[in-house]
PDB file of all heavy atoms in Angstrom:
ATOM      1  N   ALA A   1      -0.232 -15.127  -2.718  1.00 91.00           N
ATOM      2  CA  ALA A   1      -0.524 -14.706  -4.111  1.00 91.00           C
ATOM      3  C   ALA A   1      -0.620 -13.181  -4.139  1.00 91.00           C
ATOM      4  O   ALA A   1       0.281 -12.496  -3.667  1.00 91.00           O
ATOM      5  CB  ALA A   1      -1.769 -15.397  -4.637  1.00 91.00           C
ATOM      6  N   ASP A   2      -1.760 -12.639  -4.620  1.00 92.00           N
ATOM      7  CA  ASP A   2      -1.843 -11.176  -4.696  1.00 92.00           C
ATOM      8  C   ASP A   2      -2.552 -10.558  -3.480  1.00 92.00           C
ATOM      9  O   ASP A   2      -2.929  -9.382  -3.492  1.00 92.00           O
ATOM     10  CB  ASP A   2      -2.532 -10.738  -6.005  1.00 92.00           C
ATOM     11  CG  ASP A   2      -3.929 -11.333  -6.152  1.00 92.00           C
ATOM     12  OD1 ASP A   2      -4.200 -12.385  -5.557  1.00 92.00           O
ATOM     13  OD2 ASP A   2      -4.765 -10.753  -6.857  1.00 92.00           O
ATOM     14  N   ASP A   3      -2.753 -11.371  -2.416  1.00 93.00           N
ATOM     15  CA  ASP A   3      -3.354 -10.851  -1.172  1.00 93.00           C
ATOM     16  C   ASP A   3      -2.256 -10.496  -0.184  1.00 93.00           C
ATOM     17  O   ASP A   3      -1.624 -11.372   0.403  1.00 93.00           O
ATOM     18  CB  ASP A   3      -4.267 -11.917  -0.526  1.00 93.00           C
ATOM     19  CG  ASP A   3      -5.585 -12.030  -1.251  1.00 93.00           C
ATOM     20  OD1 ASP A   3      -5.996 -11.045  -1.842  1.00 93.00           O
ATOM     21  OD2 ASP A   3      -6.206 -13.104  -1.219  1.00 93.00           O
ATOM     22  N   CYS A   4      -2.037  -9.196   0.002  1.00 96.00           N
ATOM     23  CA  CYS A   4      -0.929  -8.758   0.864  1.00 96.00           C
ATOM     24  C   CYS A   4      -1.464  -7.974   2.066  1.00 96.00           C
ATOM     25  O   CYS A   4      -2.290  -7.078   1.909  1.00 96.00           O
ATOM     26  CB  CYS A   4       0.030  -7.884   0.048  1.00 96.00           C
ATOM     27  SG  CYS A   4       1.492  -7.403   1.001  1.00 96.00           S
ATOM     28  N   ILE A   5      -0.991  -8.351   3.243  1.00 98.00           N
ATOM     29  CA  ILE A   5      -1.384  -7.682   4.486  1.00 98.00           C
ATOM     30  C   ILE A   5      -0.124  -7.160   5.180  1.00 98.00           C
ATOM     31  O   ILE A   5       0.847  -7.905   5.352  1.00 98.00           O
ATOM     32  CB  ILE A   5      -2.117  -8.664   5.440  1.00 98.00           C
ATOM     33  CG1 ILE A   5      -3.407  -9.182   4.806  1.00 98.00           C
ATOM     34  CG2 ILE A   5      -2.369  -8.053   6.796  1.00 98.00           C
ATOM     35  CD1 ILE A   5      -4.549  -8.238   4.808  1.00 98.00           C
ATOM     36  N   ILE A   6      -0.160  -5.887   5.587  1.00 98.00           N
ATOM     37  CA  ILE A   6       0.952  -5.302   6.350  1.00 98.00           C
ATOM     38  C   ILE A   6       0.402  -4.898   7.715  1.00 98.00           C
ATOM     39  O   ILE A   6      -0.717  -4.379   7.805  1.00 98.00           O
ATOM     40  CB  ILE A   6       1.522  -4.054   5.623  1.00 98.00           C
ATOM     41  CG1 ILE A   6       1.921  -4.409   4.174  1.00 98.00           C
ATOM     42  CG2 ILE A   6       2.728  -3.484   6.361  1.00 98.00           C
ATOM     43  CD1 ILE A   6       2.192  -3.194   3.292  1.00 98.00           C
ATOM     44  N   THR A   7       1.169  -5.131   8.778  1.00 98.00           N
ATOM     45  CA  THR A   7       0.683  -4.719  10.108  1.00 98.00           C
ATOM     46  C   THR A   7       1.681  -3.744  10.743  1.00 98.00           C
ATOM     47  O   THR A   7       2.898  -3.942  10.662  1.00 98.00           O
ATOM     48  CB  THR A   7       0.492  -5.932  11.049  1.00 98.00           C
ATOM     49  OG1 THR A   7       1.757  -6.561  11.243  1.00 98.00           O
ATOM     50  CG2 THR A   7      -0.464  -6.958  10.461  1.00 98.00           C
ATOM     51  N   VAL A   8       1.128  -2.700  11.380  1.00 98.00           N
ATOM     52  CA  VAL A   8       1.962  -1.691  12.066  1.00 98.00           C
ATOM     53  C   VAL A   8       1.328  -1.382  13.425  1.00 98.00           C
ATOM     54  O   VAL A   8       0.269  -1.894  13.763  1.00 98.00           O
ATOM     55  CB  VAL A   8       2.095  -0.385  11.224  1.00 98.00           C
ATOM     56  CG1 VAL A   8       2.874  -0.634   9.948  1.00 98.00           C
ATOM     57  CG2 VAL A   8       0.703   0.181  10.897  1.00 98.00           C
ATOM     58  N   LYS A   9       1.991  -0.485  14.207  1.00 98.00           N
ATOM     59  CA  LYS A   9       1.529  -0.271  15.598  1.00 98.00           C
ATOM     60  C   LYS A   9       0.633   0.948  15.787  1.00 98.00           C
ATOM     61  O   LYS A   9       0.025   1.101  16.845  1.00 98.00           O
ATOM     62  CB  LYS A   9       2.750  -0.162  16.519  1.00 98.00           C
ATOM     63  CG  LYS A   9       3.353  -1.533  16.827  1.00 98.00           C
ATOM     64  CD  LYS A   9       4.311  -1.529  17.984  1.00 98.00           C
ATOM     65  CE  LYS A   9       4.664  -2.953  18.414  1.00 98.00           C
ATOM     66  NZ  LYS A   9       5.643  -3.043  19.468  1.00 98.00           N
ATOM     67  N   SER A  10       0.584   1.856  14.789  1.00 98.00           N
ATOM     68  CA  SER A  10      -0.271   3.037  15.016  1.00 98.00           C
ATOM     69  C   SER A  10      -1.033   3.404  13.754  1.00 98.00           C
ATOM     70  O   SER A  10      -0.646   3.030  12.647  1.00 98.00           O
ATOM     71  CB  SER A  10       0.579   4.236  15.436  1.00 98.00           C
ATOM     72  OG  SER A  10       1.360   4.677  14.305  1.00 98.00           O
ATOM     73  N   LYS A  11      -2.087   4.172  13.950  1.00 98.00           N
ATOM     74  CA  LYS A  11      -2.921   4.601  12.832  1.00 98.00           C
ATOM     75  C   LYS A  11      -2.127   5.517  11.888  1.00 98.00           C
ATOM     76  O   LYS A  11      -2.244   5.427  10.669  1.00 98.00           O
ATOM     77  CB  LYS A  11      -4.156   5.340  13.376  1.00 98.00           C
ATOM     78  CG  LYS A  11      -5.209   5.606  12.301  1.00 98.00           C
ATOM     79  CD  LYS A  11      -6.440   6.234  12.899  1.00 98.00           C
ATOM     80  CE  LYS A  11      -7.543   6.371  11.833  1.00 98.00           C
ATOM     81  NZ  LYS A  11      -8.777   6.932  12.429  1.00 98.00           N
ATOM     82  N   ALA A  12      -1.317   6.377  12.481  1.00 98.00           N
ATOM     83  CA  ALA A  12      -0.517   7.313  11.663  1.00 98.00           C
ATOM     84  C   ALA A  12       0.451   6.545  10.772  1.00 98.00           C
ATOM     85  O   ALA A  12       0.594   6.831   9.571  1.00 98.00           O
ATOM     86  CB  ALA A  12       0.248   8.270  12.571  1.00 98.00           C
ATOM     87  N   ALA A  13       1.105   5.518  11.356  1.00 98.00           N
ATOM     88  CA  ALA A  13       2.029   4.686  10.567  1.00 98.00           C
ATOM     89  C   ALA A  13       1.266   3.964   9.459  1.00 98.00           C
ATOM     90  O   ALA A  13       1.755   3.843   8.324  1.00 98.00           O
ATOM     91  CB  ALA A  13       2.723   3.670  11.475  1.00 98.00           C
ATOM     92  N   ALA A  14       0.064   3.491   9.779  1.00 98.00           N
ATOM     93  CA  ALA A  14      -0.742   2.765   8.787  1.00 98.00           C
ATOM     94  C   ALA A  14      -1.052   3.661   7.589  1.00 98.00           C
ATOM     95  O   ALA A  14      -0.930   3.252   6.440  1.00 98.00           O
ATOM     96  CB  ALA A  14      -2.032   2.255   9.431  1.00 98.00           C
ATOM     97  N   LYS A  15      -1.450   4.898   7.873  1.00 98.00           N
ATOM     98  CA  LYS A  15      -1.778   5.835   6.788  1.00 98.00           C
ATOM     99  C   LYS A  15      -0.557   6.112   5.924  1.00 98.00           C
ATOM    100  O   LYS A  15      -0.619   6.147   4.694  1.00 98.00           O
ATOM    101  CB  LYS A  15      -2.307   7.153   7.370  1.00 98.00           C
ATOM    102  CG  LYS A  15      -3.760   7.050   7.842  1.00 98.00           C
ATOM    103  CD  LYS A  15      -4.240   8.395   8.342  1.00 98.00           C
ATOM    104  CE  LYS A  15      -5.722   8.400   8.624  1.00 98.00           C
ATOM    105  NZ  LYS A  15      -6.156   9.636   9.278  1.00 98.00           N
ATOM    106  N   ARG A  16       0.574   6.309   6.603  1.00 98.00           N
ATOM    107  CA  ARG A  16       1.830   6.605   5.903  1.00 98.00           C
ATOM    108  C   ARG A  16       2.246   5.434   5.006  1.00 98.00           C
ATOM    109  O   ARG A  16       2.580   5.608   3.841  1.00 98.00           O
ATOM    110  CB  ARG A  16       2.909   6.888   6.957  1.00 98.00           C
ATOM    111  CG  ARG A  16       4.097   7.679   6.463  1.00 98.00           C
ATOM    112  CD  ARG A  16       4.995   8.172   7.578  1.00 98.00           C
ATOM    113  NE  ARG A  16       5.469   7.102   8.460  1.00 98.00           N
ATOM    114  CZ  ARG A  16       5.118   6.974   9.753  1.00 98.00           C
ATOM    115  NH1 ARG A  16       4.352   7.885  10.315  1.00 98.00           N
ATOM    116  NH2 ARG A  16       5.576   5.966  10.496  1.00 98.00           N
ATOM    117  N   VAL A  17       2.162   4.219   5.553  1.00 98.00           N
ATOM    118  CA  VAL A  17       2.577   3.018   4.810  1.00 98.00           C
ATOM    119  C   VAL A  17       1.623   2.766   3.641  1.00 98.00           C
ATOM    120  O   VAL A  17       2.054   2.469   2.531  1.00 98.00           O
ATOM    121  CB  VAL A  17       2.649   1.790   5.759  1.00 98.00           C
ATOM    122  CG1 VAL A  17       2.785   0.498   4.967  1.00 98.00           C
ATOM    123  CG2 VAL A  17       3.810   1.938   6.734  1.00 98.00           C
ATOM    124  N   MET A  18       0.325   2.894   3.897  1.00 98.00           N
ATOM    125  CA  MET A  18      -0.652   2.681   2.829  1.00 98.00           C
ATOM    126  C   MET A  18      -0.329   3.574   1.635  1.00 98.00           C
ATOM    127  O   MET A  18      -0.291   3.138   0.488  1.00 98.00           O
ATOM    128  CB  MET A  18      -2.069   2.964   3.357  1.00 98.00           C
ATOM    129  CG  MET A  18      -3.141   3.009   2.291  1.00 98.00           C
ATOM    130  SD  MET A  18      -3.486   1.421   1.524  1.00 98.00           S
ATOM    131  CE  MET A  18      -4.914   0.869   2.428  1.00 98.00           C
ATOM    132  N   GLN A  19      -0.081   4.839   1.927  1.00 97.00           N
ATOM    133  CA  GLN A  19       0.194   5.819   0.867  1.00 97.00           C
ATOM    134  C   GLN A  19       1.497   5.494   0.116  1.00 97.00           C
ATOM    135  O   GLN A  19       1.514   5.442  -1.115  1.00 97.00           O
ATOM    136  CB  GLN A  19       0.276   7.217   1.496  1.00 97.00           C
ATOM    137  CG  GLN A  19       0.030   8.324   0.442  1.00 97.00           C
ATOM    138  CD  GLN A  19      -0.035   9.680   1.131  1.00 97.00           C
ATOM    139  OE1 GLN A  19       0.127   9.828   2.325  1.00 97.00           O
ATOM    140  NE2 GLN A  19      -0.285  10.684   0.366  1.00 97.00           N
ATOM    141  N   SER A  20       2.564   5.281   0.876  1.00 97.00           N
ATOM    142  CA  SER A  20       3.873   5.114   0.216  1.00 97.00           C
ATOM    143  C   SER A  20       3.965   3.773  -0.523  1.00 97.00           C
ATOM    144  O   SER A  20       4.542   3.697  -1.607  1.00 97.00           O
ATOM    145  CB  SER A  20       5.014   5.259   1.226  1.00 97.00           C
ATOM    146  OG  SER A  20       4.991   4.174   2.124  1.00 97.00           O
ATOM    147  N   VAL A  21       3.372   2.703   0.037  1.00 98.00           N
ATOM    148  CA  VAL A  21       3.429   1.391  -0.632  1.00 98.00           C
ATOM    149  C   VAL A  21       2.553   1.395  -1.884  1.00 98.00           C
ATOM    150  O   VAL A  21       2.946   0.875  -2.929  1.00 98.00           O
ATOM    151  CB  VAL A  21       3.043   0.243   0.342  1.00 98.00           C
ATOM    152  CG1 VAL A  21       2.876  -1.073  -0.416  1.00 98.00           C
ATOM    153  CG2 VAL A  21       4.104   0.087   1.434  1.00 98.00           C
ATOM    154  N   THR A  22       1.376   2.009  -1.797  1.00 97.00           N
ATOM    155  CA  THR A  22       0.501   2.118  -2.974  1.00 97.00           C
ATOM    156  C   THR A  22       1.234   2.825  -4.105  1.00 97.00           C
ATOM    157  O   THR A  22       1.255   2.364  -5.250  1.00 97.00           O
ATOM    158  CB  THR A  22      -0.803   2.873  -2.620  1.00 97.00           C
ATOM    159  OG1 THR A  22      -1.503   2.111  -1.630  1.00 97.00           O
ATOM    160  CG2 THR A  22      -1.691   3.076  -3.830  1.00 97.00           C
ATOM    161  N   SER A  23       1.839   3.941  -3.769  1.00 97.00           N
ATOM    162  CA  SER A  23       2.569   4.728  -4.779  1.00 97.00           C
ATOM    163  C   SER A  23       3.717   3.896  -5.365  1.00 97.00           C
ATOM    164  O   SER A  23       3.933   3.893  -6.586  1.00 97.00           O
ATOM    165  CB  SER A  23       3.085   6.014  -4.111  1.00 97.00           C
ATOM    166  OG  SER A  23       4.177   6.501  -4.752  1.00 97.00           O
ATOM    167  N   TRP A  24       4.435   3.141  -4.517  1.00 98.00           N
ATOM    168  CA  TRP A  24       5.563   2.320  -4.990  1.00 98.00           C
ATOM    169  C   TRP A  24       5.085   1.226  -5.953  1.00 98.00           C
ATOM    170  O   TRP A  24       5.676   1.014  -7.006  1.00 98.00           O
ATOM    171  CB  TRP A  24       6.290   1.696  -3.779  1.00 98.00           C
ATOM    172  CG  TRP A  24       7.541   0.965  -4.177  1.00 98.00           C
ATOM    173  CD1 TRP A  24       8.803   1.488  -4.260  1.00 98.00           C
ATOM    174  CD2 TRP A  24       7.638  -0.403  -4.581  1.00 98.00           C
ATOM    175  NE1 TRP A  24       9.684   0.519  -4.697  1.00 98.00           N
ATOM    176  CE2 TRP A  24       8.994  -0.657  -4.901  1.00 98.00           C
ATOM    177  CE3 TRP A  24       6.721  -1.448  -4.722  1.00 98.00           C
ATOM    178  CZ2 TRP A  24       9.449  -1.895  -5.331  1.00 98.00           C
ATOM    179  CZ3 TRP A  24       7.168  -2.689  -5.160  1.00 98.00           C
ATOM    180  CH2 TRP A  24       8.513  -2.903  -5.445  1.00 98.00           C
ATOM    181  N   ILE A  25       3.984   0.559  -5.604  1.00 97.00           N
ATOM    182  CA  ILE A  25       3.438  -0.528  -6.451  1.00 97.00           C
ATOM    183  C   ILE A  25       3.077   0.020  -7.832  1.00 97.00           C
ATOM    184  O   ILE A  25       3.392  -0.574  -8.864  1.00 97.00           O
ATOM    185  CB  ILE A  25       2.201  -1.183  -5.786  1.00 97.00           C
ATOM    186  CG1 ILE A  25       2.632  -1.981  -4.547  1.00 97.00           C
ATOM    187  CG2 ILE A  25       1.439  -2.070  -6.763  1.00 97.00           C
ATOM    188  CD1 ILE A  25       1.471  -2.500  -3.694  1.00 97.00           C
ATOM    189  N   GLU A  26       2.407   1.170  -7.848  1.00 96.00           N
ATOM    190  CA  GLU A  26       1.939   1.714  -9.132  1.00 96.00           C
ATOM    191  C   GLU A  26       3.109   2.243  -9.969  1.00 96.00           C
ATOM    192  O   GLU A  26       3.133   2.099 -11.182  1.00 96.00           O
ATOM    193  CB  GLU A  26       0.875   2.790  -8.878  1.00 96.00           C
ATOM    194  CG  GLU A  26      -0.367   2.157  -8.228  1.00 96.00           C
ATOM    195  CD  GLU A  26      -1.584   3.038  -8.115  1.00 96.00           C
ATOM    196  OE1 GLU A  26      -1.414   4.270  -8.151  1.00 96.00           O
ATOM    197  OE2 GLU A  26      -2.729   2.512  -7.974  1.00 96.00           O
ATOM    198  N   ARG A  27       4.085   2.832  -9.277  1.00 96.00           N
ATOM    199  CA  ARG A  27       5.234   3.419  -9.978  1.00 96.00           C
ATOM    200  C   ARG A  27       6.213   2.355 -10.476  1.00 96.00           C
ATOM    201  O   ARG A  27       6.613   2.337 -11.629  1.00 96.00           O
ATOM    202  CB  ARG A  27       5.949   4.371  -9.008  1.00 96.00           C
ATOM    203  CG  ARG A  27       6.353   5.694  -9.547  1.00 96.00           C
ATOM    204  CD  ARG A  27       6.969   6.632  -8.572  1.00 96.00           C
ATOM    205  NE  ARG A  27       7.938   6.028  -7.665  1.00 96.00           N
ATOM    206  CZ  ARG A  27       7.735   5.794  -6.378  1.00 96.00           C
ATOM    207  NH1 ARG A  27       6.595   6.174  -5.858  1.00 96.00           N
ATOM    208  NH2 ARG A  27       8.653   5.239  -5.591  1.00 96.00           N
ATOM    209  N   LYS A  28       6.582   1.441  -9.564  1.00 95.00           N
ATOM    210  CA  LYS A  28       7.678   0.500  -9.862  1.00 95.00           C
ATOM    211  C   LYS A  28       7.215  -0.787 -10.561  1.00 95.00           C
ATOM    212  O   LYS A  28       7.944  -1.390 -11.325  1.00 95.00           O
ATOM    213  CB  LYS A  28       8.412   0.114  -8.567  1.00 95.00           C
ATOM    214  CG  LYS A  28       9.141   1.283  -7.896  1.00 95.00           C
ATOM    215  CD  LYS A  28      10.416   1.647  -8.644  1.00 95.00           C
ATOM    216  CE  LYS A  28      11.197   2.686  -7.893  1.00 95.00           C
ATOM    217  NZ  LYS A  28      12.365   3.120  -8.455  1.00 95.00           N
ATOM    218  N   LEU A  29       6.011  -1.227 -10.239  1.00 95.00           N
ATOM    219  CA  LEU A  29       5.560  -2.500 -10.813  1.00 95.00           C
ATOM    220  C   LEU A  29       4.561  -2.313 -11.943  1.00 95.00           C
ATOM    221  O   LEU A  29       4.218  -3.271 -12.643  1.00 95.00           O
ATOM    222  CB  LEU A  29       4.949  -3.405  -9.717  1.00 95.00           C
ATOM    223  CG  LEU A  29       5.894  -3.839  -8.581  1.00 95.00           C
ATOM    224  CD1 LEU A  29       5.158  -4.774  -7.615  1.00 95.00           C
ATOM    225  CD2 LEU A  29       7.139  -4.535  -9.119  1.00 95.00           C
ATOM    226  N   GLY A  30       4.051  -1.075 -12.065  1.00 94.00           N
ATOM    227  CA  GLY A  30       3.063  -0.831 -13.131  1.00 94.00           C
ATOM    228  C   GLY A  30       1.734  -1.513 -12.879  1.00 94.00           C
ATOM    229  O   GLY A  30       0.972  -1.816 -13.803  1.00 94.00           O
ATOM    230  N   LEU A  31       1.436  -1.777 -11.590  1.00 95.00           N
ATOM    231  CA  LEU A  31       0.162  -2.410 -11.241  1.00 95.00           C
ATOM    232  C   LEU A  31      -0.772  -1.366 -10.647  1.00 95.00           C
ATOM    233  O   LEU A  31      -0.336  -0.320 -10.180  1.00 95.00           O
ATOM    234  CB  LEU A  31       0.392  -3.534 -10.210  1.00 95.00           C
ATOM    235  CG  LEU A  31       1.239  -4.715 -10.703  1.00 95.00           C
ATOM    236  CD1 LEU A  31       1.688  -5.571  -9.520  1.00 95.00           C
ATOM    237  CD2 LEU A  31       0.470  -5.568 -11.693  1.00 95.00           C
ATOM    238  N   LYS A  32      -2.051  -1.689 -10.607  1.00 94.00           N
ATOM    239  CA  LYS A  32      -3.031  -0.732 -10.102  1.00 94.00           C
ATOM    240  C   LYS A  32      -3.544  -1.231  -8.744  1.00 94.00           C
ATOM    241  O   LYS A  32      -3.947  -2.392  -8.596  1.00 94.00           O
ATOM    242  CB  LYS A  32      -4.197  -0.639 -11.118  1.00 94.00           C
ATOM    243  CG  LYS A  32      -5.283   0.370 -10.744  1.00 94.00           C
ATOM    244  CD  LYS A  32      -5.039   1.728 -11.425  1.00 94.00           C
ATOM    245  CE  LYS A  32      -6.222   2.682 -11.111  1.00 94.00           C
ATOM    246  NZ  LYS A  32      -6.096   3.301  -9.813  1.00 94.00           N
ATOM    247  N   VAL A  33      -3.497  -0.357  -7.752  1.00 95.00           N
ATOM    248  CA  VAL A  33      -4.072  -0.683  -6.442  1.00 95.00           C
ATOM    249  C   VAL A  33      -5.535  -0.245  -6.436  1.00 95.00           C
ATOM    250  O   VAL A  33      -5.848   0.886  -6.797  1.00 95.00           O
ATOM    251  CB  VAL A  33      -3.285  -0.001  -5.302  1.00 95.00           C
ATOM    252  CG1 VAL A  33      -3.996  -0.181  -3.959  1.00 95.00           C
ATOM    253  CG2 VAL A  33      -1.857  -0.578  -5.239  1.00 95.00           C
ATOM    254  N   ASN A  34      -6.413  -1.164  -6.043  1.00 92.00           N
ATOM    255  CA  ASN A  34      -7.844  -0.864  -5.994  1.00 92.00           C
ATOM    256  C   ASN A  34      -8.158  -0.059  -4.728  1.00 92.00           C
ATOM    257  O   ASN A  34      -8.233  -0.608  -3.625  1.00 92.00           O
ATOM    258  CB  ASN A  34      -8.633  -2.186  -6.017  1.00 92.00           C
ATOM    259  CG  ASN A  34     -10.109  -1.965  -6.161  1.00 92.00           C
ATOM    260  OD1 ASN A  34     -10.650  -0.930  -5.767  1.00 92.00           O
ATOM    261  ND2 ASN A  34     -10.790  -2.932  -6.746  1.00 92.00           N
ATOM    262  N   ALA A  35      -8.322   1.249  -4.922  1.00 91.00           N
ATOM    263  CA  ALA A  35      -8.500   2.151  -3.766  1.00 91.00           C
ATOM    264  C   ALA A  35      -9.784   1.846  -2.998  1.00 91.00           C
ATOM    265  O   ALA A  35      -9.848   1.970  -1.777  1.00 91.00           O
ATOM    266  CB  ALA A  35      -8.506   3.601  -4.244  1.00 91.00           C
ATOM    267  N   SER A  36     -10.838   1.418  -3.719  1.00 91.00           N
ATOM    268  CA  SER A  36     -12.115   1.183  -3.019  1.00 91.00           C
ATOM    269  C   SER A  36     -12.070  -0.089  -2.161  1.00 91.00           C
ATOM    270  O   SER A  36     -12.801  -0.210  -1.180  1.00 91.00           O
ATOM    271  CB  SER A  36     -13.265   1.076  -4.039  1.00 91.00           C
ATOM    272  OG  SER A  36     -13.026  -0.042  -4.905  1.00 91.00           O
ATOM    273  N   LYS A  37     -11.204  -1.052  -2.521  1.00 91.00           N
ATOM    274  CA  LYS A  37     -11.150  -2.287  -1.723  1.00 91.00           C
ATOM    275  C   LYS A  37      -9.969  -2.313  -0.739  1.00 91.00           C
ATOM    276  O   LYS A  37      -9.974  -3.083   0.208  1.00 91.00           O
ATOM    277  CB  LYS A  37     -11.053  -3.517  -2.654  1.00 91.00           C
ATOM    278  CG  LYS A  37     -12.352  -3.809  -3.391  1.00 91.00           C
ATOM    279  CD  LYS A  37     -12.256  -5.116  -4.134  1.00 91.00           C
ATOM    280  CE  LYS A  37     -13.534  -5.450  -4.872  1.00 91.00           C
ATOM    281  NZ  LYS A  37     -13.329  -6.652  -5.715  1.00 91.00           N
TER     282      LYS A  37
END
């Protein structure tokens, strides 16, 4: 459903993916990512 988990191999990759995927969701889908959760 709306619970999505992504796994990567390093902390740097995790930070990069978190940022770019969050931005993509908000830009392309018009949804809001809950930053605090």
Side-chain angles (χ1 to χ4, degrees):
D2 57 335
D3 284 333
C4 184
I5 298 283
I6 305 167
T7 62
V8 294
K9 282 195 169 176
S10 70
K11 190 176 186 177
K15 283 183 171 172
R16 201 168 55 247
V17 168
M18 170 69 97
Q19 201 174 2
S20 68
V21 170
T22 298
S23 155
W24 186 90
I25 290 171
E26 295 189 338
R27 225 176 43 253
K28 295 285 186 181
L29 298 182
L31 296 166
K32 182 95 175 81
V33 172
N34 188 333
S36 62
K37 288 188 179 173

